[in-house]
Amino acid sequence: MSQQMQYQPVPEGAPGMPTPGHHQAARNGLGITALILGIIGALSGIPMVLFWLAGPLGLLSLIFGFVGLSRVKKGQATNKGVAITGTILGGLAMILAVIGIIVTVLAVNKAVDEINKQVNGSQAQPKDGSKGNKTYGPGDTATYPDKGLEVTVLKVAPYTVGDIASGHTAGNKAYKVTVQMKNKGKAAFNPALTQIKAKTGAEGRKAEQIIDGKIGIGFDGSIAPGATATVDVAFDAPPTAKALDVEVAPDIDMQGVYWKLPTS
């Protein structure tokens, strides 16, 4: 007699069979990635100059951290603390990147200003503190704040040329210009490279400097801190000249300043 095979239920919990309440493996990869990127991003942001690296890493850390937290909320991951830490570090990296950008921009602007000063020279400003370029009048003082130097040109006075002179044309008039420099800096100033030039007339023709042995041709020696030096120079001008346009440049790295000095 043949035996009939009967179905026998497999006992609950038998080997190889899933048990009730069995869960899928935790998906913690994004939280761990957020933590790693956050650490690298934050460390990159500390030196400031690596802001270009800290910013992208911080942004990725934030994204992976938020996605990791979303998985934790859904029960798909178990590393909530790791995801939170990665997110915080990502935000820190972003903040450091922004600070790095600001610091870098300020540093670049300062460097550009210094280069411009070297190229264009130190710029003078009126003693009264007003801004912008200015043509000075007799007795006006221009200051170079970064050099601690004040330059004053006094009014023009007629000058009698000596018997032997260069730069003077017969029939023209000669005028004496007095230039003063006051050193308000902390170190001595050497005015040896000071240039004093003049132009005259509507066309702005060069007025020749007169040298006759009686009048100085420039400053001599250094100007001590707190001291003032004065020099007289003479210029040749046509009889019809109504004013001298005098330019004084105290040094090669200092921009010239202009005085308009009436001759009568």
Side-chain angles (χ1 to χ4, degrees):
M1 181 177 173
S2 63
Q3 297 181 345
Q4 295 182 349
M5 297 183 63
Q6 297 183 351
Y7 171 76
Q8 297 293 332
V10 178
E12 192 173 299
M17 298 300 295
T19 58
H22 177 74
H23 297 286
Q24 184 179 7
R27 302 169 63 187
N28 293 332
L30 291 181
I32 295 174
T33 302
L35 178 62
I36 295 173
L37 292 176
I39 292 174
I40 299 175
L43 292 176
S44 299
I46 293 176
M48 300 298 179
V49 294
L50 295 179
F51 65 87
W52 53 271
L53 179 61
L57 291 179
L59 179 60
L60 290 175
S61 180
L62 284 174
I63 295 173
F64 287 133
F66 285 131
V67 176
L69 288 173
S70 176
R71 285 186 176 181
V72 171
K73 188 175 181 180
K74 295 177 182 179
Q76 299 175 347
T78 59
N79 61 342
K80 181 177 181 180
V82 172
I84 291 176
T85 303
T87 302
I88 294 174
L89 289 175
L92 177 61
M94 293 288 291
I95 293 174
L96 291 174
V98 172
I99 295 175
I101 292 174
I102 295 174
V103 171
T104 301
V105 170
L106 292 177
V108 169
N109 287 338
K110 184 177 180 180
V112 170
D113 290 341
E114 290 298 324
I115 292 174
N116 287 336
K117 283 184 179 180
Q118 294 297 325
V119 174
N120 299 325
S122 177
Q123 188 172 6
Q125 65 182 37
K127 190 175 181 179
D128 59 12
S130 59
K131 303 296 183 181
N133 296 327
K134 175 181 178 180
T135 298
Y136 297 78
D140 286 344
T141 299
T143 66
Y144 292 84
D146 56 333
K147 302 291 186 178
L149 190 68
E150 292 184 352
V151 181
T152 305
V153 177
L154 304 180
K155 65 180 180 180
V156 169
Y159 177 71
T160 301
V161 181
D163 294 334
I164 300 176
S166 65
H168 179 59
T169 301
N172 282 355
K173 292 185 177 182
Y175 297 96
K176 180 181 71 174
V177 176
T178 301
V179 180
Q180 291 181 341
M181 288 189 186
K182 184 173 183 179
N183 182 7
K184 302 185 73 174
K186 297 181 179 180
F189 177 76
N190 187 349
L193 298 179
T194 298
Q195 296 186 41
I196 304 174
K197 302 177 182 179
K199 294 180 180 179
T200 186
E203 298 179 352
R205 292 185 179 277
K206 177 182 177 181
E208 294 293 338
Q209 184 174 348
I210 299 172
I211 301 175
D212 62 1
K214 297 189 304 179
I215 198 165
I217 61 173
F219 289 94
D220 184 24
S222 297
I223 308 174
T228 300
T230 303
V231 67
D232 292 327
V233 292
F235 292 99
D236 185 70
T240 56
K242 297 181 179 180
L244 284 179
D245 296 320
V246 177
E247 176 189 2
V248 179
D251 207 342
I252 57 175
D253 64 344
M254 303 170 74
Q255 292 185 4
V257 185
Y258 300 89
W259 279 263
K260 193 170 189 68
L261 309 174
T263 55
S264 58

